[in-house]
Amino acid sequence: ERRKALDRFYGAVHHQGSVYPATAASLPFLLELAADGATPDRAAIVALMVSIGRESLDQGFEDDGTEIEYCPPMGCGQAVAFLRERGAQFAGLARDPDPDVRLAAIGGLGLFLDDADRAAALLRGRLAAEEGIAARLRIVQAAATLALRLPAASQQVMDWLAGLAADPAQGPATRLAALVQRARCAPEEIGEDVVPAAVGLLRETARALPVQRIAPAPSRPATPTDTVAPQIVAAFEDLDRHTRVYAPTTALLRTFHEALGARVPERTAVLAEQLSSADPGSCLDAVRMSGELMRTWRGDHTRLLLLVADQLTAADQEVAAEAAAVLESCHPIAAPAREALAAHIDAQRVAHGPQAWAAPQAMLRRSHQEAVRALARLGDRRALPSLLAALDSDVDAWHAIQVAGHLPQAADQLVPRLCDHLRRFDLSQQWTEMSANAILAALAALGDPAAVPVVVDTLGAAVRHEQHGVTRSALKALGAFGPAATGAREMIRSLTTATDAHVRPAAVAALWAAGGDLAEVMPLLLSLLDDRITFRISDAADLLGEIGPPASVALPRLRNLLMHDYEWVRVHCAAALWEIGGQAEAPAVLNVLLQAMAQNPATANHVVACLDRMGPLAAPALPLLHEQLALPRRGGRYQSLDHDEELQRVGRTLIARLDKRHEAAPPTPPQPGRWAPAPPR
């Protein structure tokens, strides 16, 4: 009952770290409970108060102490003021006889005490008194928080941390924590000796801590699979996994990686040591951190990919499963791990039979499935037997369907099975939408016209049951089949006047792809250009660009849309303007593209793709292209690994082509009135 009450409290007034006036108003009552030794579970209440204070400081105030506009009125300010006034009580809780209460309260010493000297002295005293590794790590962390929050405490705390890191009388975990938190206080001062020292202390710490088996995840009630999409069930299982931490040093090492930032080689060296640990929990946490590094930062990750691939043979199946999942999530750069993935899959099939995909042991099944998915995303046919087994057995078939489109060389075996699954969906049930969409996307990627009749039947069923998402996916699939979908034109045509915002542009695109007449399609596209819904304008512009010069009647409207207030609309319309109007439109197109990319880096993939098509006329973009590719953090749409890798590939090719042409061409004197792109804002 107490746990339920605490969960309800978090959900009501501290959801995802939010701080409202009601949150602040509850603090006196929470502190009263925490101060009463008879209250059960006091540590959870103290941790809640520390969380409220930390979030109030992080979200509610700028560095100069002024309240941020988006913070609920008075909520953060009230919370911080109350907790700072009660700093002495937190100092008392940090000396409580209950070790869990002390552990929860330690963070408050760095957050709520405004007397720098007193706070630093209290933390030094607590470190001398505490023996547990968790408490000692928390104390050192609180000291760094104090130094970052109060300039008056900064130098004395950093000197203390430096002394701790060099003190052989301290345990290796405490010394490692001091070194890391000192780096957190001043990341710009991290020298060449810091990472080797951290690696040495990490090695000593690993030897000092006991090796423990990974505890099984807590059991949860089974989710009904006939009313909930399996993708949703899996998403919550992933959340459960990723909120679990297995090693006491994991939070500390995450802090170190954050302080190192873009220093990819140094971070790889630290992760290499983490991955060599004999403790499976430490390895599992390190595998996850490796994935985070590769997905967030650019660089040569070959060594790290191979180190993660080595974990596929780990004795603990959960570590192997996590390694396979990381390689799957990093598939655009995972080619160095290809052979390790194939060997892992083969070994599992030899040991557990051809049905390893459906193995009853959960971790073995996950390890096999993630490795198969990673290999399939690399376009490797060796993943096919397991994918076919999944589709034939219908065990976790959705997991195989998501990657089936990456094996077009096996379309003759995949398409009949995918069509069979698609036929069996009952589109009167809303929960089937995600699975139907995934199959339609896979069929579109495979491009086998044999799937057209089933896709047409699915389209009809989706329209009858008003499944607009499936309707759009079926239309996109028919569009991918091109003239092979000519027989469906009447059904497609009937949807070009649909009221659903997504269905109508998808129907127009499918009608054109299926051999539609330009005279019929153009009025529909011009109407979409006049729409108030921005993605409809962008979809119409994309199709007009595909049509090219025959769509010249749209040029005046596209030119006007270059002044639209949404940069995504401007980018799509500029690209269409280039495809239709060509060289004559280049100055205006370049101006829009470069300003949009400077304003919103998420547009970079679309911008660079259009610049690549423009060829030599894209030369004025060279400075911005060089600037974009020099960034250490991944960019492009969603800052995702796959979009960023594509952005880098196209960008480097274009730069090389433009630089080569520039070197070969004789210098051209400036011309009066010659257009130049506006400088990025």
Side-chain angles (χ1 to χ4, degrees):
E1 289 302 318
R2 292 194 299 274
R3 188 179 301 114
K4 289 179 182 178
L6 190 65
D7 286 345
R8 290 184 64 190
F9 187 96
Y10 270 94
V13 294
H14 196 42
H15 178 63
Q16 294 184 349
S18 299
V19 178
Y20 309 98
T23 322
S26 71
L27 284 170
F29 304 96
L30 293 173
L31 186 58
E32 182 181 346
L33 285 169
D36 184 353
T39 302
D41 300 333
R42 286 192 300 143
I45 298 171
V46 175
L48 171 59
M49 290 191 293
V50 171
S51 176
I52 292 170
R54 181 183 296 109
E55 294 294 338
S56 297
L57 286 165
D58 288 348
Q59 297 181 16
F61 291 85
E62 299 284 9
D63 292 338
D64 61 1
T66 57
E67 196 166 359
I68 295 174
E69 290 182 6
Y70 66 75
C71 186
M74 301 300 293
C76 293
Q78 285 179 332
V80 170
F82 175 85
L83 292 168
R84 283 177 171 168
E85 289 171 2
R86 304 316 191 274
Q89 288 175 264
F90 268 91
L93 290 169
R95 295 190 297 269
D96 194 90
D98 185 333
D100 291 333
V101 171
R102 295 201 305 273
L103 184 65
I106 285 167
L109 301 182
L111 291 167
F112 309 139
L113 273 67
D114 287 334
D115 185 328
D117 293 335
R118 180 172 177 241
L122 284 170
L123 288 167
R124 288 194 296 269
R126 292 316 310 153
L127 187 70
E130 294 286 354
E131 296 182 358
I133 184 172
R136 293 176 72 81
L137 296 184
R138 191 76 61 87
I139 290 164
V140 177
Q141 177 187 14
T145 299
L146 177 70
L148 290 168
R149 184 173 66 87
L150 297 179
S154 178
Q155 195 57 54
Q156 64 167 310
V157 168
M158 288 199 292
D159 290 345
W160 179 53
L161 293 176
L164 281 178
D167 184 358
Q170 301 292 334
T174 302
R175 295 178 63 195
L176 177 63
L179 184 146
V180 168
Q181 297 297 345
R182 173 66 175 78
R184 173 190 168 206
C185 290
E188 70 283 354
E189 296 179 10
I190 296 176
E192 294 181 357
D193 58 333
V194 171
V195 168
V199 169
L201 289 169
L202 180 57
R203 190 172 300 146
E204 290 183 42
T205 301
R207 287 197 294 263
L209 295 176
V211 174
Q212 297 181 338
R213 294 182 59 187
I214 295 177
S219 59
R220 296 184 179 276
T223 305
T225 56
D226 56 345
T227 57
V228 180
Q231 296 90 332
I232 300 297
V233 177
F236 278 97
E237 290 174 351
D238 281 342
L239 284 175
D240 279 344
R241 274 191 291 268
H242 286 278
T243 54
R244 298 180 72 201
V245 175
Y246 297 92
T249 55
T250 293
L252 175 66
L253 291 168
R254 284 190 181 280
T255 298
F256 194 36
H257 284 291
E258 290 170 6
L260 290 171
R263 298 174 174 91
V264 170
E266 289 89 340
R267 293 180 64 177
T268 300
V270 175
L271 285 166
E273 185 62 34
Q274 292 177 245
L275 290 165
S276 69
S277 173
D279 179 60
S282 298
C283 285
L284 195 149
D285 289 340
V287 167
R288 288 180 182 163
M289 288 189 224
S290 300
E292 291 162 9
L293 171 63
M294 293 186 284
R295 290 189 297 267
T296 306
W297 298 94
R298 293 170 172 172
D300 183 357
H301 295 299
T302 302
R303 181 191 178 198
L304 194 52
L305 285 163
L306 293 174
L307 288 169
V308 171
D310 287 343
Q311 298 298 323
L312 293 171
T313 59
D316 191 291
Q317 285 288 353
E318 191 161 355
V319 176
E322 197 64 35
V326 164
L327 293 173
E328 193 272 341
S329 71
C330 297
H331 65 271
I333 60 171
R338 180 192 299 268
E339 295 308 316
L341 287 164
H344 180 61
I345 293 166
D346 287 344
Q348 288 179 322
R349 289 175 65 85
V350 168
H352 303 283
Q355 295 301 318
W357 177 277
Q361 304 95 326
M363 282 302 114
L364 169 62
R365 185 169 68 247
R366 179 171 180 253
S367 170
H368 186 78
Q369 291 183 6
E370 293 293 355
V372 168
R373 283 165 53 86
L375 196 61
R377 288 190 185 276
L378 290 171
D380 196 308
R381 193 182 179 92
R382 287 174 288 183
L384 183 61
S386 291
L387 295 183
L388 297 180
L391 294 172
D392 290 341
S393 68
D394 204 16
V395 175
D396 296 335
W398 68 273
H399 223 203
I401 288 165
Q402 289 182 334
V403 300
H406 292 269
L407 294 172
Q409 67 270 40
D412 59 327
Q413 297 182 71
L414 290 167
V415 167
R417 290 171 167 87
L418 292 171
C419 289
D420 185 56
H421 278 266
L422 190 56
R423 287 189 193 96
R424 298 204 301 264
F425 280 125
D426 179 6
L427 293 182
S428 67
Q429 303 298 313
Q430 192 69 36
W431 67 270
T432 61
E433 177 180 349
M434 292 179 73
S435 297
N437 287 344
I439 293 181
L440 289 165
L443 290 172
L446 293 171
D448 187 345
V452 169
V454 179
V455 175
V456 171
D457 291 344
T458 302
L459 176 61
V463 171
R464 287 194 304 275
H465 295 295
E466 297 184 348
Q467 287 264 32
H468 300 307
V470 179
T471 300
R472 180 180 63 159
S473 295
L475 288 167
K476 291 178 72 173
L478 291 173
F481 296 130
T486 299
R489 273 198 304 214
E490 285 306 314
M491 182 181 293
I492 295 171
R493 182 176 287 113
S494 69
L495 294 170
T496 58
T497 56
T499 56
D500 181 77
H502 292 279
V503 168
R504 185 178 163 197
V508 176
L511 183 62
W512 171 254
D517 182 72
L518 184 64
E520 179 183 17
V521 170
M522 282 304 300
L524 298 171
L525 289 172
L526 294 175
S527 174
L528 287 171
L529 287 181
D530 293 335
D531 207 297
R532 296 179 62 185
I533 300 176
T534 55
F535 66 77
R536 281 186 165 186
I537 302 173
S538 298
D539 288 349
D542 289 346
L543 184 52
L544 287 166
E546 184 181 329
I547 294 170
S552 59
V553 67
L555 286 173
R557 297 193 198 195
L558 290 170
R559 293 187 190 110
N560 288 338
L561 285 166
L562 297 185
M563 305 301 294
H564 197 279
D565 57 0
Y566 188 36
E567 68 276 5
W568 278 104
V569 169
R570 299 197 299 271
V571 165
H572 285 271
C573 290
L577 201 59
W578 164 256
E579 299 297 339
I580 298 169
Q583 185 170 350
E585 307 293 340
V589 169
L590 270 173
N591 190 37
V592 167
L593 294 179
L594 299 188
Q595 287 197 23
M597 186 168 163
Q599 176 187 353
N600 182 359
T603 63
N605 289 92
H606 287 76
V607 170
V608 172
C610 184
L611 293 173
D612 188 50
R613 296 191 297 271
M614 293 178 72
L617 292 174
L622 269 171
L624 190 56
L625 289 170
H626 282 292
E627 178 184 322
Q628 171 61 233
L629 293 187
L631 296 175
R633 188 180 285 271
R634 294 201 179 276
R637 195 162 193 191
Y638 308 125
Q639 293 184 307
S640 65
L641 190 153
D642 51 348
H643 284 131
D644 181 68
E645 287 295 313
E646 177 68 10
L647 173 63
Q648 291 187 72
R649 184 189 64 79
V650 177
R652 289 195 185 99
T653 302
L654 177 57
I655 286 172
R657 196 162 65 240
L658 292 176
D659 281 342
K660 185 176 180 180
R661 185 180 181 89
H662 180 72
E663 291 169 3
T668 304
Q671 301 174 20
R674 187 174 180 178
W675 172 87
R681 288 186 289 174

